[in-house]
Amino acid sequence: DIQMTQSPSSVSASVGDRVTITCRASQGISSWLAWYQQKPGKAPKLLIYATSSLQIGVPSRFRGSGSGTDFTLTISSLQPEDFATYYCQQAHSFPFSFGPGTKVDI
Amino acid sequence: QLQLQESGPGLVKPSETLSLSCTVSGGSISSRSYYWGWIRQPPGTGLEWIGSVYYTGSTNYSPSLKSRVAISVDTSKSQFSLTLSSVTAADTAVYYCARHDQTLSGGVDVWGQGTTVTVSS
């Protein structure tokens, strides 16, 4: 089974900052990686799929990259609505799995 | 716009079986492009993938829950269901039903609103 890790577990940032979150898979997953944003009390929202494809309606300040085992989510200029928790998820093989999450706060 | 809606008891006693259903509306549950899944989130923690079912009935489960979980699909009712047996307090969580879209490389593009299940006597 594939284990997912994320770093950092939390990051403090300001509006306008560039934020980078790293996700690592325990074995190669090609490009089968998705990123989600979750705000308190809400279901997660798909931001990026297939490592770097932006889901419809997601602002272009979100960018995903990587391949194999190492992936990153970059928010180029943090906006007030971006303060949330971010999760990566592999869909390369069953059982699917999520990373533990990265909380982005002020 | 496809929507998912969870239903089921919000309180389950320890050692009993948790049963939830998810109704799919606004689209077909029988599409070849999707897996239908269950994901949970214990209070204050992250997301845990429980398992998924294809419209054919083929299932996949998390190894940590495999001995206690079953997911099934009823295409005639546009529903899929989760049962989790022998529950303990550790199974207290928000349970989400979800759609994995294979055209989005398995990403979950549609989520239910989530239903809180508490395990307590």
Side-chain angles (χ1 to χ4, degrees):
Chain A
D1 301 343
I2 299 172
Q3 314 301 320
M4 307 299 293
T5 57
Q6 285 182 237
S7 61
S9 57
S10 66
V11 57
S12 293
S14 300
V15 172
D17 284 354
R18 180 185 182 93
V19 172
T20 298
I21 299 168
T22 297
C23 176
R24 178 165 289 173
S26 61
Q27 63 190 74
I29 59 171
S30 185
S31 296
W32 292 81
L33 187 96
W35 289 97
Y36 302 86
Q37 176 192 69
Q38 187 180 33
K39 297 181 179 179
K42 300 293 187 180
K45 171 187 173 184
L46 178 65
L47 298 177
I48 288 170
Y49 62 93
T51 296
S52 59
S53 296
L54 217 56
Q55 174 66 336
I56 295 170
V58 175
S60 59
R61 63 181 179 272
F62 291 93
R63 188 172 72 88
S65 63
S67 68
T69 60
D70 295 318
F71 303 86
T72 59
L73 172 69
T74 301
I75 310 172
S76 59
S77 178
L78 203 64
Q79 298 302 299
E81 60 268 30
D82 300 336
F83 291 96
T85 300
Y86 294 84
Y87 297 92
C88 60
Q89 175 234 328
Q90 69 82 17
H92 175 269
S93 58
F94 288 113
F96 292 168
S97 47
F98 289 91
T102 296
K103 184 176 182 180
V104 178
D105 58 18
I106 300 173
Chain B
Q1 180 79 358
L2 186 133
Q3 293 185 318
L4 303 176
Q5 179 65 58
E6 304 93 348
S7 59
L11 181 64
V12 182
K13 290 182 168 56
S15 80
E16 295 190 344
T17 296
L18 178 160
S19 296
L20 297 175
S21 292
C22 183
T23 300
V24 179
S25 59
S28 173
I29 198 171
S30 298
S31 170
R32 296 181 178 185
S33 296
Y34 309 126
Y35 291 96
W36 305 96
W38 289 94
I39 295 160
R40 72 180 183 178
Q41 186 168 35
T45 66
L47 302 168
E48 180 182 13
W49 189 82
I50 298 171
S52 67
V53 63
Y54 198 48
Y55 78 99
T56 57
S58 174
T59 54
N60 289 277
Y61 301 126
S62 167
S64 65
L65 297 170
K66 191 171 186 176
S67 64
R68 299 193 292 129
V69 70
I71 298 174
S72 60
V73 62
D74 186 335
T75 55
S76 67
K77 294 182 179 179
S78 286
Q79 287 183 340
F80 60 104
S81 300
L82 168 72
T83 61
L84 183 66
S85 62
S86 304
V87 297
T88 70
D91 296 308
T92 294
V94 176
Y95 285 76
Y96 294 101
C97 60
R99 184 180 82 172
H100 289 279
D101 188 339
Q102 294 188 81
T103 68
L104 304 181
S105 297
V108 176
D109 64 332
V110 182
W111 296 75
Q113 64 184 22
T115 187
T116 299
V117 178
T118 301
V119 178
S120 176
S121 56

